CSV table of all heavy atoms in Angstrom, one decimal:
chain,number,residue,atom,x,y,z
A,1,ARG,N,-2.6,-11.7,46.8
A,1,ARG,CA,-1.3,-11.8,47.5
A,1,ARG,C,-0.2,-12.3,46.7
A,1,ARG,O,0.9,-11.7,46.6
A,1,ARG,CB,-1.4,-12.6,48.8
A,1,ARG,CG,-2.3,-11.9,49.9
A,1,ARG,CD,-2.5,-12.7,51.1
A,1,ARG,NE,-3.3,-13.9,50.9
A,1,ARG,CZ,-3.9,-14.5,51.8
A,1,ARG,NH1,-3.9,-14.1,53.1
A,1,ARG,NH2,-4.7,-15.6,51.6
A,2,GLU,N,-0.4,-13.5,46.0
A,2,GLU,CA,0.7,-14.0,45.2
A,2,GLU,C,1.0,-13.1,44.0
A,2,GLU,O,2.2,-12.9,43.7
A,2,GLU,CB,0.2,-15.4,44.6
A,2,GLU,CG,0.3,-16.5,45.7
A,2,GLU,CD,-1.0,-16.7,46.4
A,2,GLU,OE1,-2.0,-16.1,46.0
A,2,GLU,OE2,-1.0,-17.4,47.4
A,3,PRO,N,0.0,-12.6,43.2
A,3,PRO,CA,0.4,-11.7,42.2
A,3,PRO,C,1.2,-10.4,42.6
A,3,PRO,O,2.1,-10.0,42.0
A,3,PRO,CB,-0.9,-11.2,41.6
A,3,PRO,CG,-1.9,-12.4,41.9
A,3,PRO,CD,-1.4,-12.9,43.2
A,4,PHE,N,0.9,-9.9,43.8
A,4,PHE,CA,1.6,-8.7,44.3
A,4,PHE,C,3.0,-9.1,44.6
A,4,PHE,O,3.9,-8.2,44.3
A,4,PHE,CB,0.9,-8.2,45.6
A,4,PHE,CG,-0.2,-7.3,45.4
A,4,PHE,CD1,-0.8,-7.1,44.1
A,4,PHE,CD2,-0.8,-6.6,46.5
A,4,PHE,CE1,-1.9,-6.3,43.9
A,4,PHE,CE2,-1.8,-5.7,46.3
A,4,PHE,CZ,-2.4,-5.5,45.0
A,5,ILE,N,3.3,-10.3,45.1
A,5,ILE,CA,4.7,-10.7,45.3
A,5,ILE,C,5.4,-10.9,44.0
A,5,ILE,O,6.5,-10.5,43.8
A,5,ILE,CB,4.7,-11.9,46.2
A,5,ILE,CG1,4.2,-11.7,47.6
A,5,ILE,CG2,6.1,-12.5,46.3
A,5,ILE,CD1,3.9,-12.9,48.4
A,6,GLN,N,4.8,-11.6,43.1
A,6,GLN,CA,5.4,-12.0,41.9
A,6,GLN,C,5.8,-10.8,41.0
A,6,GLN,O,6.8,-10.7,40.4
A,6,GLN,CB,4.5,-12.9,41.1
A,6,GLN,CG,4.4,-14.3,41.7
A,6,GLN,CD,3.4,-15.2,40.9
A,6,GLN,OE1,2.2,-14.9,40.7
A,6,GLN,NE2,3.9,-16.3,40.4
A,7,ASN,N,4.8,-9.8,40.9
A,7,ASN,CA,5.1,-8.7,40.0
A,7,ASN,C,5.8,-7.5,40.7
A,7,ASN,O,6.0,-6.4,40.1
A,7,ASN,CB,3.8,-8.2,39.4
A,7,ASN,CG,2.8,-7.7,40.4
A,7,ASN,OD1,3.1,-7.2,41.4
A,7,ASN,ND2,1.5,-7.7,40.0
A,8,GLY,N,6.2,-7.6,42.0
A,8,GLY,CA,6.9,-6.6,42.7
A,8,GLY,C,6.1,-5.4,43.2
A,8,GLY,O,6.7,-4.4,43.6
A,9,THR,N,4.8,-5.6,43.2
A,9,THR,CA,4.0,-4.5,43.8
A,9,THR,C,4.4,-4.3,45.3
A,9,THR,O,4.3,-3.2,45.8
A,9,THR,CB,2.5,-4.9,43.7
A,9,THR,OG1,2.1,-5.0,42.4
A,9,THR,CG2,1.6,-3.9,44.4
A,10,VAL,N,4.7,-5.4,46.0
A,10,VAL,CA,5.1,-5.4,47.4
A,10,VAL,C,6.5,-6.1,47.5
A,10,VAL,O,6.8,-7.0,46.7
A,10,VAL,CB,4.1,-6.0,48.3
A,10,VAL,CG1,2.8,-5.2,48.2
A,10,VAL,CG2,3.9,-7.5,48.0
A,11,ASP,N,7.2,-5.8,48.5
A,11,ASP,CA,8.4,-6.6,48.9
A,11,ASP,C,8.1,-7.8,49.7
A,11,ASP,O,8.9,-8.8,49.7
A,11,ASP,CB,9.4,-5.7,49.6
A,11,ASP,CG,9.8,-4.5,48.7
A,11,ASP,OD1,10.3,-4.7,47.6
A,11,ASP,OD2,9.5,-3.3,49.2
A,12,MET,N,7.1,-7.8,50.4
A,12,MET,CA,6.6,-8.9,51.2
A,12,MET,C,5.2,-8.8,51.6
A,12,MET,O,4.6,-7.7,51.5
A,12,MET,CB,7.5,-9.1,52.5
A,12,MET,CG,7.3,-7.9,53.5
A,12,MET,SD,8.1,-8.2,55.1
A,12,MET,CE,9.8,-8.4,54.6
A,13,VAL,N,4.5,-9.9,51.9
A,13,VAL,CA,3.1,-9.9,52.3
A,13,VAL,C,3.1,-10.5,53.7
A,13,VAL,O,3.6,-11.6,54.0
A,13,VAL,CB,2.3,-10.7,51.4
A,13,VAL,CG1,0.9,-11.0,52.0
A,13,VAL,CG2,2.1,-10.0,50.1
A,14,ILE,N,2.5,-9.7,54.7
A,14,ILE,CA,2.2,-10.2,56.0
A,14,ILE,C,0.7,-9.9,56.2
A,14,ILE,O,0.3,-8.8,56.7
A,14,ILE,CB,3.0,-9.4,57.1
A,14,ILE,CG1,4.5,-9.4,56.6
A,14,ILE,CG2,2.9,-10.1,58.4
A,14,ILE,CD1,5.4,-8.6,57.6
A,15,ALA,N,-0.1,-10.9,55.9
A,15,ALA,CA,-1.6,-10.7,55.8
A,15,ALA,C,-2.3,-11.9,56.1
A,15,ALA,O,-3.0,-12.5,55.3
A,15,ALA,CB,-1.9,-10.1,54.4
A,16,THR,N,-2.2,-12.4,57.4
A,16,THR,CA,-2.9,-13.6,57.8
A,16,THR,C,-2.8,-14.7,56.7
A,16,THR,O,-3.7,-15.3,56.2
A,16,THR,CB,-4.3,-13.4,58.2
A,16,THR,OG1,-5.1,-12.9,57.0
A,16,THR,CG2,-4.5,-12.4,59.3
A,17,TYR,N,-1.5,-14.9,56.2
A,17,TYR,CA,-1.2,-15.6,55.0
A,17,TYR,C,-0.8,-17.1,55.4
A,17,TYR,O,0.4,-17.3,55.8
A,17,TYR,CB,-0.1,-14.9,54.3
A,17,TYR,CG,0.1,-15.2,52.8
A,17,TYR,CD1,-0.7,-16.0,52.1
A,17,TYR,CD2,1.2,-14.6,52.2
A,17,TYR,CE1,-0.5,-16.2,50.8
A,17,TYR,CE2,1.4,-14.8,50.8
A,17,TYR,CZ,0.6,-15.6,50.1
A,17,TYR,OH,0.9,-15.8,48.8
A,18,THR,N,-1.7,-18.0,55.2
A,18,THR,CA,-1.4,-19.4,55.6
A,18,THR,C,-0.4,-20.0,54.7
A,18,THR,O,-0.5,-20.0,53.5
A,18,THR,CB,-2.7,-20.2,55.6
A,18,THR,OG1,-3.6,-19.7,56.6
A,18,THR,CG2,-2.4,-21.7,56.0
A,19,ILE,N,0.6,-20.7,55.3
A,19,ILE,CA,1.6,-21.4,54.5
A,19,ILE,C,1.0,-22.7,54.1
A,19,ILE,O,0.5,-23.5,54.9
A,19,ILE,CB,2.9,-21.7,55.3
A,19,ILE,CG1,3.5,-20.3,55.8
A,19,ILE,CG2,3.9,-22.5,54.5
A,19,ILE,CD1,4.6,-20.5,56.9
A,20,ASN,N,1.0,-23.0,52.8
A,20,ASN,CA,0.6,-24.4,52.3
A,20,ASN,C,1.4,-24.8,51.1
A,20,ASN,O,2.1,-23.9,50.5
A,20,ASN,CB,-0.9,-24.5,52.1
A,20,ASN,CG,-1.4,-23.6,51.0
A,20,ASN,OD1,-0.7,-23.3,50.0
A,20,ASN,ND2,-2.6,-23.1,51.2
A,21,ASP,N,1.4,-26.0,50.7
A,21,ASP,CA,2.2,-26.6,49.7
A,21,ASP,C,1.9,-25.9,48.3
A,21,ASP,O,2.8,-25.7,47.5
A,21,ASP,CB,2.1,-28.1,49.6
A,21,ASP,CG,2.7,-28.8,50.8
A,21,ASP,OD1,3.4,-28.1,51.5
A,21,ASP,OD2,2.4,-30.0,50.9
A,22,THR,N,0.6,-25.7,48.1
A,22,THR,CA,0.2,-25.1,46.8
A,22,THR,C,0.8,-23.7,46.6
A,22,THR,O,1.3,-23.4,45.6
A,22,THR,CB,-1.4,-25.0,46.7
A,22,THR,OG1,-1.9,-26.3,46.8
A,22,THR,CG2,-1.8,-24.4,45.4
A,23,ARG,N,0.7,-22.9,47.6
A,23,ARG,CA,1.2,-21.5,47.6
A,23,ARG,C,2.8,-21.5,47.5
A,23,ARG,O,3.4,-20.7,46.8
A,23,ARG,CB,0.8,-20.7,48.8
A,23,ARG,CG,-0.7,-20.3,48.7
A,23,ARG,CD,-1.2,-19.7,50.0
A,23,ARG,NE,-2.6,-19.3,49.9
A,23,ARG,CZ,-3.3,-19.0,51.0
A,23,ARG,NH1,-2.9,-19.1,52.2
A,23,ARG,NH2,-4.6,-18.6,50.8
A,24,LYS,N,3.4,-22.5,48.1
A,24,LYS,CA,4.8,-22.6,48.0
A,24,LYS,C,5.4,-23.0,46.7
A,24,LYS,O,6.6,-22.9,46.5
A,24,LYS,CB,5.3,-23.6,49.1
A,24,LYS,CG,5.2,-23.0,50.5
A,24,LYS,CD,5.6,-24.1,51.5
A,24,LYS,CE,7.1,-24.4,51.5
A,24,LYS,NZ,7.4,-25.3,52.6
A,25,GLN,N,4.5,-23.3,45.8
A,25,GLN,CA,5.0,-23.5,44.4
A,25,GLN,C,5.1,-22.2,43.7
A,25,GLN,O,5.8,-22.1,42.6
A,25,GLN,CB,4.0,-24.4,43.6
A,25,GLN,CG,3.7,-25.8,44.2
A,25,GLN,CD,5.0,-26.6,44.4
A,25,GLN,OE1,5.8,-26.7,43.4
A,25,GLN,NE2,5.2,-27.1,45.6
A,26,ILE,N,4.5,-21.1,44.3
A,26,ILE,CA,4.5,-19.8,43.6
A,26,ILE,C,5.3,-18.8,44.3
A,26,ILE,O,6.0,-18.0,43.7
A,26,ILE,CB,3.0,-19.3,43.5
A,26,ILE,CG1,2.1,-20.4,42.8
A,26,ILE,CG2,2.9,-18.0,42.8
A,26,ILE,CD1,0.7,-20.1,43.0
A,27,VAL,N,5.3,-18.8,45.7
A,27,VAL,CA,6.0,-17.9,46.5
A,27,VAL,C,6.8,-18.6,47.6
A,27,VAL,O,6.5,-19.8,47.8
A,27,VAL,CB,5.1,-16.8,47.1
A,27,VAL,CG1,4.4,-16.0,46.0
A,27,VAL,CG2,4.1,-17.4,48.1
A,28,ASP,N,7.7,-17.9,48.2
A,28,ASP,CA,8.4,-18.5,49.4
A,28,ASP,C,7.8,-17.9,50.6
A,28,ASP,O,7.2,-16.8,50.6
A,28,ASP,CB,9.9,-18.2,49.3
A,28,ASP,CG,10.6,-19.2,48.5
A,28,ASP,OD1,10.1,-20.3,48.3
A,28,ASP,OD2,11.8,-18.9,48.0
A,29,PHE,N,8.0,-18.6,51.8
A,29,PHE,CA,7.5,-18.1,53.1
A,29,PHE,C,8.6,-18.1,54.1
A,29,PHE,O,9.4,-19.0,54.2
A,29,PHE,CB,6.4,-19.0,53.6
A,29,PHE,CG,5.1,-18.8,52.9
A,29,PHE,CD1,4.7,-19.7,51.9
A,29,PHE,CD2,4.2,-17.8,53.2
A,29,PHE,CE1,3.5,-19.6,51.2
A,29,PHE,CE2,3.0,-17.7,52.5
A,29,PHE,CZ,2.6,-18.5,51.5
A,30,ALA,N,8.7,-17.0,54.9
A,30,ALA,CA,9.4,-17.1,56.2
A,30,ALA,C,8.4,-17.3,57.3
A,30,ALA,O,7.2,-17.0,57.2
A,30,ALA,CB,10.1,-15.7,56.4
A,31,GLY,N,8.9,-17.9,58.4
A,31,GLY,CA,8.0,-18.2,59.5
A,31,GLY,C,7.8,-19.6,59.7
A,31,GLY,O,8.6,-20.4,59.3
A,32,PRO,N,6.6,-20.0,60.2
A,32,PRO,CA,5.5,-19.2,60.6
A,32,PRO,C,5.7,-18.3,61.8
A,32,PRO,O,6.6,-18.6,62.6
A,32,PRO,CB,4.4,-20.2,60.9
A,32,PRO,CG,5.1,-21.4,61.4
A,32,PRO,CD,6.4,-21.4,60.6
A,33,TYR,N,5.0,-17.2,61.9
A,33,TYR,CA,5.1,-16.3,63.0
A,33,TYR,C,3.8,-16.4,63.9
A,33,TYR,O,3.8,-15.7,65.0
A,33,TYR,CB,5.3,-14.8,62.6
A,33,TYR,CG,4.2,-14.3,61.8
A,33,TYR,CD1,3.2,-13.5,62.4
A,33,TYR,CD2,4.1,-14.5,60.4
A,33,TYR,CE1,2.1,-13.0,61.7
A,33,TYR,CE2,3.0,-13.9,59.7
A,33,TYR,CZ,2.0,-13.2,60.3
A,33,TYR,OH,1.0,-12.7,59.6
A,34,PHE,N,2.8,-17.2,63.5
A,34,PHE,CA,1.6,-17.4,64.3
A,34,PHE,C,0.9,-18.6,63.8
A,34,PHE,O,0.9,-18.9,62.6
A,34,PHE,CB,0.7,-16.2,64.2
A,34,PHE,CG,-0.5,-16.2,65.1
A,34,PHE,CD1,-0.5,-16.2,66.5
A,34,PHE,CD2,-1.8,-16.4,64.5
A,34,PHE,CE1,-1.6,-16.3,67.2
A,34,PHE,CE2,-2.9,-16.5,65.2
A,34,PHE,CZ,-2.9,-16.4,66.6
A,35,ILE,N,0.3,-19.4,64.7
A,35,ILE,CA,-0.6,-20.5,64.3
A,35,ILE,C,-2.0,-20.2,64.7
A,35,ILE,O,-2.3,-19.9,65.9
A,35,ILE,CB,-0.2,-21.8,65.0
A,35,ILE,CG1,1.3,-22.1,64.8
A,35,ILE,CG2,-1.0,-23.0,64.5
A,35,ILE,CD1,1.7,-22.4,63.4
A,36,ALA,N,-2.9,-20.1,63.7
A,36,ALA,CA,-4.3,-19.9,63.9
A,36,ALA,C,-5.1,-21.2,63.7
A,36,ALA,O,-4.5,-22.2,63.2
A,36,ALA,CB,-4.8,-18.8,63.0
A,37,HIS,N,-6.4,-21.2,64.0
A,37,HIS,CA,-7.3,-22.3,63.8
A,37,HIS,C,-8.6,-21.8,63.2
A,37,HIS,O,-9.2,-20.9,63.7
A,37,HIS,CB,-7.5,-23.1,65.1
A,37,HIS,CG,-6.2,-23.4,65.8
A,37,HIS,ND1,-5.4,-24.5,65.5
A,37,HIS,CD2,-5.6,-22.8,66.9
A,37,HIS,CE1,-4.4,-24.5,66.2
A,37,HIS,NE2,-4.5,-23.5,67.1
A,38,GLN,N,-9.0,-22.5,62.1
A,38,GLN,CA,-10.3,-22.0,61.5
A,38,GLN,C,-11.5,-22.3,62.4
A,38,GLN,O,-11.6,-23.4,63.0
A,38,GLN,CB,-10.5,-22.7,60.1
A,38,GLN,CG,-11.6,-22.1,59.3
A,38,GLN,CD,-11.6,-22.6,57.9
A,38,GLN,OE1,-10.6,-23.0,57.4
A,38,GLN,NE2,-12.7,-22.5,57.2
A,39,ASP,N,-12.4,-21.4,62.4
A,39,ASP,CA,-13.6,-21.5,63.3
A,39,ASP,C,-14.8,-20.9,62.5
A,39,ASP,O,-14.7,-20.6,61.3
A,39,ASP,CB,-13.4,-20.8,64.6
A,39,ASP,CG,-14.2,-21.5,65.8
A,39,ASP,OD1,-15.3,-21.8,65.6
A,39,ASP,OD2,-13.6,-21.6,66.8
A,40,ILE,N,-15.9,-20.7,63.2
A,40,ILE,CA,-17.2,-20.2,62.6
A,40,ILE,C,-17.7,-19.1,63.4
A,40,ILE,O,-17.7,-19.1,64.7
A,40,ILE,CB,-18.2,-21.4,62.6
A,40,ILE,CG1,-17.6,-22.6,61.9
A,40,ILE,CG2,-19.5,-20.9,61.9
A,40,ILE,CD1,-18.3,-23.9,62.2
A,41,MET,N,-18.3,-18.1,62.7
A,41,MET,CA,-18.9,-16.9,63.4
A,41,MET,C,-20.4,-16.9,63.0
A,41,MET,O,-20.7,-17.1,61.8
A,41,MET,CB,-18.3,-15.6,63.0
A,41,MET,CG,-18.9,-14.4,63.6
A,41,MET,SD,-18.0,-12.8,63.2
A,41,MET,CE,-18.4,-12.6,61.5
A,42,VAL,N,-21.3,-16.8,63.9
A,42,VAL,CA,-22.7,-16.7,63.7
A,42,VAL,C,-23.3,-15.6,64.4
A,42,VAL,O,-22.7,-14.9,65.2
A,42,VAL,CB,-23.4,-18.1,64.1
A,42,VAL,CG1,-22.9,-19.2,63.3
A,42,VAL,CG2,-23.2,-18.3,65.6
A,43,LYS,N,-24.6,-15.3,64.2
A,43,LYS,CA,-25.3,-14.3,65.0
A,43,LYS,C,-25.4,-14.8,66.5
A,43,LYS,O,-25.5,-16.0,66.8
A,43,LYS,CB,-26.7,-14.1,64.5
A,43,LYS,CG,-26.7,-13.3,63.2
A,43,LYS,CD,-28.1,-12.9,62.8
A,43,LYS,CE,-28.1,-12.0,61.5
A,43,LYS,NZ,-29.5,-11.6,61.1
A,44,ALA,N,-25.4,-13.8,67.4
A,44,ALA,CA,-25.3,-14.2,68.8
A,44,ALA,C,-26.5,-15.0,69.3
A,44,ALA,O,-26.4,-15.8,70.2
A,44,ALA,CB,-25.3,-12.9,69.6
A,45,SER,N,-27.6,-14.9,68.6
A,45,SER,CA,-28.9,-15.6,68.9
A,45,SER,C,-28.9,-17.0,68.3
A,45,SER,O,-29.8,-17.8,68.6
A,45,SER,CB,-30.1,-14.8,68.5
A,45,SER,OG,-30.1,-14.6,67.1
A,46,ASP,N,-28.0,-17.4,67.5
A,46,ASP,CA,-28.0,-18.6,66.7
A,46,ASP,C,-27.3,-19.7,67.5
A,46,ASP,O,-26.1,-19.7,67.7
A,46,ASP,CB,-27.4,-18.5,65.4
A,46,ASP,CG,-27.6,-19.7,64.5
A,46,ASP,OD1,-28.0,-20.7,65.0
A,46,ASP,OD2,-27.2,-19.6,63.3
A,47,ASN,N,-28.1,-20.7,68.0
A,47,ASN,CA,-27.5,-21.9,68.7
A,47,ASN,C,-27.6,-23.2,67.9
A,47,ASN,O,-27.3,-24.3,68.4
A,47,ASN,CB,-28.2,-22.1,70.0
A,47,ASN,CG,-28.0,-20.9,71.0
A,47,ASN,OD1,-26.9,-20.4,71.1
A,47,ASN,ND2,-29.1,-20.4,71.6
A,48,SER,N,-27.9,-23.0,66.6
A,48,SER,CA,-28.1,-24.2,65.8
A,48,SER,C,-26.8,-24.8,65.2
A,48,SER,O,-26.8,-25.9,64.8
A,48,SER,CB,-29.1,-23.9,64.6
A,48,SER,OG,-28.5,-23.0,63.7
């Protein structure tokens, strides 16, 4: 995502792209337009 923005492959990236301080040293962000929360996916039979 960052290289695509920097080298002009794209004009913008809208790709579940979390805003954080490290990335903001490389690219700029508009938004946020959504707040997500990290979670875990397992097999349906797994209760461990």
Side-chain angles (χ1 to χ4, degrees):
R1 290 176 295 198
E2 286 90 11
F4 275 13
I5 294 169
Q6 289 178 302
N7 64 26
T9 299
V10 300
D11 299 302
M12 62 173 62
V13 167
I14 312 178
T16 61
Y17 199 4
T18 298
I19 302 169
N20 63 35
D21 290 347
T22 300
R23 288 171 175 166
K24 285 175 69 176
Q25 301 305 308
I26 305 170
V27 299
D28 277 339
F29 287 98
Y33 64 94
F34 181 72
I35 306 293
H37 308 282
Q38 188 167 340
D39 212 317
I40 304 160
M41 180 175 74
V42 296
K43 285 188 175 180
S45 59
D46 187 349
N47 297 314
S48 66

